[in-house]
Amino acid sequence: MASSFPTTARFAGEQALTESSIHVSLTYDPLVSQSILDLVKSPSAGAIVLFAGTTRATFLDRHITHLAYSAYVPLALRTLLSIARYIKSAHNLVAIAITHRLGVVPIGEESVLISVSSPHRKAAWLGGEECLEKVKERVEIWKEEWFEDGGVWRANRDGAAGVKVADTQERTSGDMAGEVAMERGADPVEAGIHSDSTKS
């Protein structure tokens, strides 16, 4: 079942931001582990860590049919880049690459790949783990978890409660991005939140 949530228009290939030794991207295509590993390889790196987040078949004993991810792409890419810069600096990494899949992600396929390289393994392990937590906490990507009896919007964090998809159909990805910005202290007008007395 397709996402019921309006988002940035679907695009072919990937949309990416890159800097020296940093690559972040979003795509609707299946993810390829080797491609992201190649982005962080370096003669000065003695360790490379790859995290692959995959769609599992159950949640709390309920059968999942698939996941579907939506994003406000321009803002999500900027947030991914900000996280990557911070993680690379904080853990003295050689390179970092993050890619997240959008749209439907079937059971057993990857929704996110994070690859980091460093001179030694400890920094790579710690940097990769912190990166994943920050991606799940901060990036403007929303997850629909679909079961045989319907779907729920779930925060892109482990164990967070879901909201039935039908309860959110009138909201747009721009609304959600604005709400996230307001939670971070942005002005409502700058965040794109406008009051509308016609909605209850």
Side-chain angles (χ1 to χ4, degrees):
M1 181 176 291
S3 169
S4 60
F5 207 94
T7 61
T8 304
R10 189 178 174 101
F11 52 86
E14 73 172 12
Q15 290 198 10
L17 296 176
T18 59
E19 292 181 356
S20 177
S21 303
I22 296 174
H23 178 91
V24 300
S25 66
L26 298 170
T27 184
Y28 285 91
D29 298 334
L31 303 182
V32 180
S33 299
Q34 190 59 52
S35 296
I36 198 168
L37 287 169
D38 290 344
L39 290 169
V40 301
K41 284 186 176 180
S42 167
S44 59
I48 295 176
V49 168
L50 171 69
F51 171 81
T54 59
T55 302
R56 63 181 175 266
T58 59
F59 180 77
L60 298 178
D61 297 325
R62 294 180 69 195
H63 178 70
I64 296 172
T65 60
H66 66 277
L67 300 179
Y69 291 89
S70 303
Y72 184 62
V73 172
L75 187 55
L77 284 170
R78 289 194 301 270
T79 304
L80 284 169
L81 184 61
S82 173
I83 291 168
R85 286 173 178 155
Y86 167 77
I87 295 295
K88 183 175 182 281
S89 175
H91 294 277
N92 198 27
L93 300 177
V94 173
I96 182 169
I98 309 166
T99 188
H100 205 297
R101 187 170 171 185
L102 302 176
V104 172
V105 182
I107 302 299
E109 293 189 18
E110 292 78 19
S111 56
V112 62
L113 296 176
I114 297 171
S115 186
V116 301
S117 61
S118 66
H120 305 287
R121 66 183 180 274
K122 185 173 183 179
W125 285 119
L126 295 174
E129 181 177 20
E130 185 177 5
C131 182
L132 172 65
E133 295 308 320
K134 289 195 176 300
V135 166
K136 291 171 77 70
E137 176 186 310
R138 292 186 46 211
V139 180
E140 296 78 10
I141 295 173
W142 301 280
K143 177 170 66 175
E144 291 179 52
E145 202 162 59
W146 283 93
F147 303 96
E148 292 169 336
D149 60 350
V152 296
W153 284 106
R154 190 174 305 284
N156 202 11
R157 295 183 285 281
D158 294 334
V163 176
K164 286 185 181 178
V165 172
D167 296 341
T168 61
Q169 289 180 343
E170 290 187 11
R171 297 170 70 205
T172 66
S173 59
D175 292 337
M176 291 182 77
E179 290 165 16
V180 168
M182 282 185 55
E183 287 175 9
R184 296 180 184 158
D187 177 86
V189 174
E190 290 177 9
I193 302 295
H194 304 285
S195 61
D196 185 346
S197 58
T198 64
K199 292 185 181 177
S200 55

